Amino acid sequence: MNRPYNFSAGPAAMPEEVLQQAAAEMLNWQGTGMGVMEMSHRGKAFMSIIAAAEADLRELLAVPEHFRILLMQGGGLAENAIVPLNLSRGGAVDFVVTGGWSQKSFKEARKYAMPQVVASNEADGHTTLPAPAAWQLRQEAQYVHLCSNETIHGIEVHELPDLRALGSEAPLVIDFSSHVASRSVDWSRVGLAFGGAQKNLGPAGLTLVVVREDLLGHALAICPSAFDYKTVAENGSMYNTPPTYAIYMAGLTFQWLKRQREGALSGVAAMEQRNTAKAELLYGFIDQSQLYLNKVAPNCRSRMNVPFFLRDESRNDAFLAGAQARGLLQLKGHKSVGGMRASLYNALPLAGVQALVDYMRDFEQTQA
Ligand SMILES: *Cc1c(COP(=O)(O)O)cnc(C)c1O
């Protein structure tokens, strides 16, 4: 039986092989007589699971030695507070606001730091990417916040800015929640990257932080100990009980990612090629159609989240009902934007995008 294609923005589809392996191991993980949810996080079995997950992730994302990988809880929204608590020293922080998520991050940072918006695309309804050369970066900024993929507005930063070339010594902090592991990361341009797992890595409950070592140890006195990056790092992400089952599921996903191939490419490079093909197929169809519309400037369109509209919005419900009937799930757009949104995360194959495009074409023809 084929499962339907799931276009959810998150929590999102997971690779079927991963779900099947988790099901097979649910009652008895590798002969231990226990399911992973039932194990002590300090026992030998779970210690091997978390060590493998971290090593696989380091390999997949090519994380350099001088970065630490932290497996935390709280999600992207908690990081909106945890990052300023750890990095701002209560001082100036520069924010690039490109959509709903960076806007939220900016508002939360006000509680702990003195953030300022140094570039924004609000005037054009979050459809363009302000050119880095025009960002009003400040010398005194402790870091620069950028959401590298705006999940709601469908804007992706295809090339991370080189802040040093722009005259700033501040580390770049990226929220890569919704495109982590969909493409490579240029770590030479990043100080810290954070993301919730539930878009592209695994189930909700796990939060990934990749942080350059020199940024540890500067937390404000009010920072909760469990959220002090230095404490988390020194305890191997085990200061408090980590989200053990979510880590296990993400670990299975990392193994799945390592097995993926596109020609000579493997892992994240293979995913990048596949994701590019998926996005080109969908945007290419939308752009030639008379019914559908994507408003984002072509140079910053997200490969992961494609918001689109029907020019005749009275057809929205019929479109969604027809999609559901064809096994194309969760296409409704975010409430703040409306319309539709197709999220094309790693677990969604090219065939899923082809099925969506076939449906969209048929639906458009019935409207003519
Ligand atoms: C989903 C998402 C978040 C929020 O994650 P939570 O786990 O709900 O806190 C933050 N940033 C981006 C870019 C996201 O896509």
Side-chain angles (χ1 to χ4, degrees), residues 227-248:
F227 291 153
D228 182 332
Y229 292 140
K230 184 159 189 268
T231 308
V232 179
E234 282 175 349
N235 289 279
S237 299
M238 298 253 205
Y239 174 73
N240 57 339
T241 309
T244 54
Y245 198 75
I247 290 171
Y248 158 73

Side-chain angles (χ1 to χ4, degrees), residues 90-345:
V93 180
D94 286 349
F95 268 78
V96 179
V97 171
T98 48
W101 287 114
S102 45
Q103 186 71 47
K104 269 202 165 117
S105 303
F106 168 67
K107 286 187 177 152
E108 185 74 5
R110 280 181 181 158
K111 295 182 182 174
Y112 309 102
M114 293 187 290
Q116 186 164 307
V117 176
V118 297
S120 169
N121 62 0
E122 208 168 346
D124 59 49
H126 304 304
T127 56
T128 61
L129 184 67
W135 299 357
Q136 304 291 310
L137 300 172
R138 300 175 297 168
Q139 286 305 321
E140 65 272 28
Q142 299 294 325
Y143 64 91
V144 177
H145 179 107
L146 175 70
C147 180
S148 49
N149 188 65
E150 287 280 3
T151 322
I152 296 172
H153 291 89
I155 292 178
E156 183 167 11
V157 180
H158 291 290
E159 192 192 349
L160 292 175
D162 179 354
L163 293 188
R164 246 164 291 143
L166 298 170
S168 167
E169 293 299 320
L172 179 68
V173 170
I174 58 170
D175 175 356
F176 68 168
S177 294
S178 51
H179 72 163
V180 53
S182 72
R183 49 178 291 176
S184 61
V185 176
D186 182 351
W187 293 105
S188 73
R189 298 186 170 184
V190 174
L192 183 147
F194 71 84
Q198 71 271 23
K199 315 285 166 65
N200 220 6
L201 299 180
L206 167 65
T207 312
L208 170 66
V209 175
V210 183
V211 56
R212 220 171 59 204
E213 247 157 19
D214 62 288
L215 299 176
L216 301 173
H218 307 297
L220 297 176
I222 57 161
C223 181
S225 307
F227 291 153
D228 182 332
Y229 292 140
K230 184 159 189 268
T231 308
V232 179
E234 282 175 349
N235 289 279
S237 299
M238 298 253 205
Y239 174 73
N240 57 339
T241 309
T244 54
Y245 198 75
I247 290 171
Y248 158 73
M249 292 293 285
L252 295 184
T253 306
F254 301 156
Q255 289 165 18
W256 176 84
L257 277 169
K258 286 173 69 174
R259 293 195 297 272
Q260 299 308 298
R261 296 281 181 279
E262 288 290 335
L265 303 173
S266 66
V268 168
M271 295 319 304
E272 183 159 3
Q273 176 154 315
R274 195 180 298 168
N275 288 327
T276 303
K278 284 154 56 184
E280 279 174 1
L281 176 59
L282 183 52
Y283 285 113
F285 174 74
I286 290 172
D287 286 344
Q288 61 76 50
S289 127
Q290 303 299 308
L291 177 63
Y292 308 101
L293 171 71
N294 170 276
K295 300 177 182 172
V296 177
N299 73 342
C300 58
R301 284 174 163 180
S302 171
R303 292 176 196 162
M304 292 283 99
N305 310 98
V306 183
F308 64 92
F309 298 87
L310 276 58
R311 289 178 202 265
D312 176 2
E313 297 240 278
S314 73
R315 303 301 296 154
N316 282 359
D317 289 346
F319 178 87
L320 286 167
Q324 172 94 20
R326 283 221 201 169
L328 306 169
L329 308 183
Q330 308 205 72
L331 283 161
K332 195 175 167 130
H334 189 271
K335 59 183 186 304
S336 68
V337 172
M340 310 296 155
R341 174 173 49 171
S343 293
L344 317 179
Y345 297 126

